[in-house]
Coordinates of all heavy atoms in Angstrom, one line a residue:
E1 N -22.9 -6.0 -3.7 CA -21.8 -5.0 -3.7 C -20.8 -5.3 -2.5 O -19.6 -5.1 -2.7 CB -22.4 -3.6 -3.5 CG -23.3 -3.2 -4.6 CD -24.1 -2.0 -4.3 OE1 -24.1 -1.5 -3.1 OE2 -24.8 -1.5 -5.2
V2 N -21.3 -5.8 -1.4 CA -20.5 -6.1 -0.3 C -19.5 -7.2 -0.7 O -18.3 -7.2 -0.3 CB -21.3 -6.4 1.0 CG1 -20.4 -6.9 2.1 CG2 -22.2 -5.2 1.4
M3 N -20.0 -8.2 -1.3 CA -19.2 -9.4 -1.7 C -18.1 -8.9 -2.7 O -16.9 -9.3 -2.6 CB -20.0 -10.5 -2.4 CG -19.3 -11.7 -2.8 SD -18.5 -12.5 -1.4 CE -17.6 -13.8 -2.3
Q4 N -18.5 -8.1 -3.7 CA -17.5 -7.6 -4.7 C -16.4 -6.8 -4.0 O -15.2 -6.9 -4.3 CB -18.2 -6.8 -5.8 CG -19.0 -7.7 -6.7 CD -18.3 -8.8 -7.4 OE1 -17.1 -8.7 -7.7 NE2 -19.0 -9.9 -7.6
A5 N -16.8 -5.9 -3.1 CA -15.8 -5.1 -2.4 C -14.9 -5.9 -1.5 O -13.7 -5.7 -1.5 CB -16.5 -4.0 -1.6
S6 N -15.5 -6.9 -0.8 CA -14.7 -7.8 0.0 C -13.8 -8.6 -0.8 O -12.6 -8.8 -0.3 CB -15.7 -8.7 0.8 OG -16.5 -8.0 1.6
C7 N -14.2 -9.1 -1.9 CA -13.3 -9.9 -2.8 C -12.1 -9.0 -3.2 O -10.9 -9.5 -3.3 CB -14.0 -10.4 -4.0 SG -14.9 -11.9 -3.7
S8 N -12.4 -7.8 -3.6 CA -11.3 -6.9 -4.0 C -10.2 -6.7 -2.9 O -9.0 -6.8 -3.2 CB -11.8 -5.6 -4.5 OG -12.6 -5.7 -5.6
V9 N -10.7 -6.5 -1.7 CA -9.8 -6.3 -0.6 C -9.1 -7.6 -0.3 O -7.9 -7.6 0.0 CB -10.5 -5.7 0.6 CG1 -9.6 -5.6 1.8 CG2 -11.0 -4.3 0.2
L10 N -9.8 -8.7 -0.2 CA -9.2 -10.0 0.1 C -8.1 -10.3 -1.0 O -7.0 -10.7 -0.6 CB -10.2 -11.1 0.1 CG -9.7 -12.5 0.3 CD1 -9.1 -12.7 1.7 CD2 -10.7 -13.5 0.0
W11 N -8.4 -10.2 -2.2 CA -7.5 -10.5 -3.3 C -6.3 -9.6 -3.2 O -5.1 -10.0 -3.5 CB -8.1 -10.5 -4.6 CG -9.2 -11.5 -4.8 CD1 -9.6 -12.5 -4.0 CD2 -10.0 -11.6 -6.0 NE1 -10.6 -13.2 -4.5 CE2 -10.9 -12.7 -5.8 CE3 -10.1 -11.0 -7.2 CZ2 -11.8 -13.1 -6.7 CZ3 -11.0 -11.4 -8.1 CH2 -11.9 -12.4 -7.9
S12 N -6.5 -8.3 -2.9 CA -5.3 -7.4 -2.8 C -4.5 -7.8 -1.6 O -3.2 -7.7 -1.7 CB -5.8 -6.0 -2.6 OG -6.5 -5.5 -3.8
T13 N -5.1 -8.2 -0.5 CA -4.3 -8.6 0.6 C -3.5 -9.9 0.3 O -2.3 -10.0 0.7 CB -5.2 -8.8 1.8 OG1 -6.0 -7.7 2.1 CG2 -4.5 -9.2 3.1
A14 N -4.1 -10.8 -0.4 CA -3.4 -12.0 -0.8 C -2.2 -11.6 -1.8 O -1.1 -12.2 -1.7 CB -4.3 -13.0 -1.5
A15 N -2.5 -10.7 -2.7 CA -1.4 -10.3 -3.6 C -0.3 -9.6 -2.8 O 0.9 -9.9 -3.1 CB -2.0 -9.3 -4.6
M16 N -0.6 -8.8 -1.8 CA 0.4 -8.2 -1.0 C 1.2 -9.2 -0.2 O 2.4 -9.1 -0.1 CB -0.2 -7.2 0.0 CG 0.9 -6.4 0.8 SD 0.2 -5.1 1.8 CE -0.6 -6.0 3.1
A17 N 0.5 -10.2 0.3 CA 1.2 -11.3 1.0 C 2.2 -12.0 0.1 O 3.3 -12.3 0.5 CB 0.2 -12.3 1.7
A18 N 1.8 -12.4 -1.1 CA 2.6 -13.1 -2.0 C 3.8 -12.2 -2.5 O 4.9 -12.7 -2.6 CB 1.8 -13.5 -3.3
M19 N 3.6 -10.9 -2.7 CA 4.7 -10.0 -3.1 C 5.7 -9.8 -1.9 O 6.9 -9.8 -2.1 CB 4.1 -8.7 -3.6 CG 3.4 -8.8 -4.9 SD 2.5 -7.3 -5.4 CE 3.9 -6.4 -5.9
L20 N 5.2 -9.7 -0.7 CA 6.0 -9.5 0.4 C 6.8 -10.8 0.7 O 8.0 -10.7 0.9 CB 5.2 -9.2 1.7 CG 6.0 -8.9 2.9 CD1 6.9 -7.6 2.7 CD2 5.0 -8.6 4.1
L21 N 6.2 -12.0 0.6 CA 6.9 -13.2 0.7 C 8.0 -13.4 -0.4 O 9.1 -13.8 -0.1 CB 5.9 -14.4 0.6 CG 6.5 -15.8 0.8 CD1 6.9 -16.0 2.3 CD2 5.5 -16.8 0.4
G22 N 7.6 -13.0 -1.6 CA 8.6 -13.1 -2.7 C 9.8 -12.2 -2.5 O 10.9 -12.5 -2.8
W23 N 9.5 -11.0 -2.0 CA 10.6 -10.0 -1.7 C 11.5 -10.5 -0.6 O 12.7 -10.4 -0.7 CB 10.0 -8.7 -1.4 CG 11.0 -7.7 -1.1 CD1 12.0 -7.1 -1.9 CD2 11.3 -7.1 0.2 NE1 12.8 -6.3 -1.2 CE2 12.4 -6.2 0.1 CE3 10.7 -7.3 1.4 CZ2 12.9 -5.5 1.2 CZ3 11.2 -6.5 2.5 CH2 12.2 -5.7 2.4
R24 N 10.9 -11.0 0.5 CA 11.7 -11.4 1.7 C 12.5 -12.6 1.3 O 13.6 -12.7 1.8 CB 10.7 -11.8 2.8 CG 10.0 -10.6 3.4 CD 10.5 -10.3 4.7 NE 9.7 -9.3 5.3 CZ 10.2 -8.4 6.1 NH1 11.5 -8.4 6.4 NH2 9.4 -7.4 6.6
R25 N 12.0 -13.5 0.5 CA 12.8 -14.7 0.2 C 13.5 -14.6 -1.1 O 14.1 -15.6 -1.6 CB 11.8 -15.9 0.1 CG 11.2 -16.2 1.5 CD 10.4 -17.5 1.4 NE 9.8 -17.8 2.7 CZ 9.0 -18.8 3.0 NH1 8.7 -19.6 2.0 NH2 8.6 -19.0 4.2
A26 N 13.5 -13.4 -1.8 CA 14.1 -13.2 -3.1 C 13.6 -14.2 -4.1 O 14.4 -14.7 -4.9 CB 15.6 -13.2 -2.9
N27 N 12.3 -14.4 -4.1 CA 11.7 -15.4 -5.0 C 10.8 -14.6 -6.0 O 9.7 -14.1 -5.7 CB 10.8 -16.4 -4.2 CG 10.2 -17.4 -5.1 OD1 10.2 -17.3 -6.3 ND2 9.6 -18.4 -4.5
R28 N 11.3 -14.4 -7.2 CA 10.7 -13.6 -8.2 C 9.3 -14.2 -8.6 O 8.4 -13.5 -8.9 CB 11.5 -13.4 -9.4 CG 12.3 -12.1 -9.3 CD 12.9 -11.8 -10.6 NE 13.0 -10.3 -10.6 CZ 13.4 -9.6 -11.6 NH1 13.8 -10.2 -12.7 NH2 13.5 -8.3 -11.5
R29 N 9.2 -15.5 -8.7 CA 8.0 -16.2 -9.1 C 6.8 -15.8 -8.2 O 5.7 -15.5 -8.6 CB 8.2 -17.7 -9.2 CG 9.0 -18.1 -10.4 CD 9.0 -19.5 -10.5 NE 9.8 -19.9 -11.7 CZ 9.6 -21.0 -12.4 NH1 8.6 -21.8 -12.1 NH2 10.4 -21.2 -13.5
A30 N 7.1 -15.9 -6.9 CA 6.0 -15.6 -5.9 C 5.7 -14.1 -6.0 O 4.5 -13.7 -6.0 CB 6.5 -15.9 -4.5
W31 N 6.7 -13.2 -6.2 CA 6.4 -11.8 -6.3 C 5.6 -11.5 -7.6 O 4.6 -10.8 -7.6 CB 7.7 -11.0 -6.4 CG 7.5 -9.5 -6.3 CD1 7.6 -8.8 -5.1 CD2 7.3 -8.6 -7.3 NE1 7.4 -7.5 -5.4 CE2 7.2 -7.3 -6.7 CE3 7.1 -8.7 -8.7 CZ2 6.9 -6.2 -7.5 CZ3 6.8 -7.6 -9.4 CH2 6.7 -6.3 -8.8
L32 N 5.9 -12.2 -8.7 CA 5.2 -12.0 -10.0 C 3.8 -12.6 -9.9 O 2.9 -12.0 -10.5 CB 6.0 -12.6 -11.1 CG 7.3 -11.8 -11.5 CD1 8.0 -12.6 -12.6 CD2 6.9 -10.4 -12.0
A33 N 3.6 -13.7 -9.1 CA 2.3 -14.2 -8.9 C 1.4 -13.2 -8.2 O 0.2 -13.0 -8.5 CB 2.3 -15.5 -8.2
G34 N 2.0 -12.5 -7.2 CA 1.2 -11.5 -6.5 C 0.9 -10.3 -7.4 O -0.2 -9.7 -7.3
A35 N 1.9 -9.9 -8.2 CA 1.6 -8.8 -9.1 C 0.6 -9.2 -10.2 O -0.3 -8.3 -10.5 CB 2.9 -8.5 -9.9
A36 N 0.5 -10.4 -10.6 CA -0.5 -10.9 -11.5 C -1.9 -10.8 -10.9 O -2.9 -10.4 -11.5 CB -0.2 -12.3 -12.1

């Protein structure tokens, strides 16, 4: 259970980083990768 919860939070943090990077650089592909 700890691994599954940790994966969810890690993956969400990675998605947020990709979406933030995509928004800051106006790169839709990076933002959409984070959304996916």
Side-chain angles (χ1 to χ4, degrees):
E1 297 169 355
V2 174
M3 180 65 184
Q4 291 300 330
S6 300
C7 278
S8 295
V9 173
L10 174 72
W11 295 358
S12 296
T13 304
M16 185 174 72
M19 291 173 75
L20 186 61
L21 181 72
W23 175 70
R24 294 250 185 216
R25 295 186 179 177
N27 184 348
R28 265 194 152 181
R29 286 186 182 209
W31 192 93
L32 290 173

